[in-house]
Amino acid sequence: MNYRSNAVALGAILAAAALAGCASNGPRPDEQIARADASVAQAEQAGARQYSGIDYDKARDKAKEARRLADVGKNDSARMLAEQAELDAEFAAAQARAKTLQKAAAEVAAGTQTLREETTRPVMP
């Protein structure tokens, strides 16, 4: 091959690679980002910031990064990060609900113990 045919072949390869890169990038993941944002909001309402701070922060940060990636056209990465954010937020919310229920159960147990002590205390005439 001569120089000209090598340049044409290289140009064709680069064009094909560019088209393949665009084709694999997919549409903007607005729906996934919205679901991630909604899950983060629900996790916060469930008390995840207080009871599962690290997981909540990871979910919030991933959702924020997913929006940034989508804004610069990295849609596949944004979609993947938004899906991770949604799962992290759901996990943080579940942990927060579990800890809230554990706290409530401990309060009920303490109240029950107080009632037992009251019923076994001798009555003064």
Side-chain angles (χ1 to χ4, degrees):
M1 278 194 197
N2 62 26
Y3 174 77
R4 182 178 169 107
S5 60
N6 283 343
V8 170
L10 179 60
I13 290 170
L14 290 176
L19 287 174
C22 290
S24 68
N25 201 20
R28 186 176 163 92
D30 291 325
E31 183 178 325
Q32 288 87 354
I33 292 171
R35 282 198 316 260
D37 288 340
S39 292
V40 169
Q42 289 172 354
E44 185 172 4
Q45 289 174 354
R49 184 177 282 189
Q50 177 183 357
Y51 293 113
S52 187
I54 292 171
D55 293 308
Y56 171 79
D57 288 343
K58 282 184 354 185
R60 188 192 61 220
D61 292 345
K62 285 180 181 180
K64 182 179 178 181
E65 181 64 9
R67 281 188 301 281
R68 188 192 71 74
L69 288 171
D71 288 343
V72 297
K74 295 184 178 182
N75 295 336
D76 286 344
S77 296
R79 181 175 299 100
M80 182 182 68
L81 214 50
E83 290 169 355
Q84 289 176 9
E86 182 179 4
L87 293 174
D88 287 347
E90 289 173 1
F91 179 71
Q95 282 189 313
R97 285 190 290 273
K99 289 178 182 176
T100 300
L101 290 173
Q102 287 172 344
K103 185 177 175 182
E107 290 172 1
V108 168
T112 303
Q113 182 61 33
T114 301
L115 288 173
R116 279 192 188 118
E117 290 170 2
E118 289 293 319
T119 59
T120 59
R121 189 175 67 179
V123 178
M124 304 270 299

